[in-house]
Amino acid sequence: MADKIKLLIAVLLVIAGVTGFYFLDGAPTVVRVLSVIAGVVLGGLVAGLSAPGKHFFRFALDSRDEARKVVWPTRKETIQMTGVVMAFVVVMALFLWAVDGVLLWLVKLAMGQGS
């Protein structure tokens, strides 16, 4: 139950920050934006104190660690694969253009003979 209350408080803090943005209509834009940022940061801190928040934080850390283990392609490999994808897109576009032209010709042929 305490976690639900913490999450509710977190949501209310974010809502308060956004409400402050509209409530401070005459204030400088910096103050209005800081209101939203403060609401989001405070809401995040309160949510982080709950069990689901701690699980999410652990998950985010594990995800970061896994992303570091990924073997990213070299620049050369990236450029080569981009070229392959672009060539495939051109070939598919030409193929679909040809199929569309044949179907259009068949429809026109069928419509012309039907009348």
Side-chain angles (χ1 to χ4, degrees), residues 29-49:
T29 305
V30 174
V31 173
R32 297 174 72 198
V33 170
L34 286 175
S35 167
V36 175
I37 292 173
V40 170
V41 168
L42 290 174
L45 289 174
V46 171
L49 297 175

Side-chain angles (χ1 to χ4, degrees), residues 7-112:
L7 292 175
L8 176 64
I9 292 171
V11 169
L12 291 175
L13 284 169
V14 172
I15 291 172
V18 173
T19 303
F21 179 83
Y22 292 105
F23 183 72
L24 299 170
D25 194 23
T29 305
V30 174
V31 173
R32 297 174 72 198
V33 170
L34 286 175
S35 167
V36 175
I37 292 173
V40 170
V41 168
L42 290 174
L45 289 174
V46 171
L49 297 175
S50 67
K54 290 176 184 175
H55 284 34
F56 175 78
F57 185 69
R58 185 75 233 156
F59 174 76
L61 290 177
D62 290 343
S63 297
R64 183 197 63 193
D65 293 342
E66 286 298 319
R68 288 182 177 169
K69 294 178 186 177
V70 173
V71 178
W72 298 101
T74 64
R75 180 177 176 86
K76 182 180 176 184
E77 292 171 335
T78 303
I79 291 172
Q80 287 175 343
M81 288 307 298
T82 302
V84 169
V85 169
M86 293 180 115
F88 179 77
V89 167
V90 169
V91 169
M92 282 304 297
L94 291 172
F95 172 74
L96 292 174
W97 173 74
V99 169
D100 185 52
V102 169
L103 290 174
L104 181 63
W105 176 75
L106 288 173
V107 169
K108 284 184 178 180
L109 185 66
M111 297 298 276

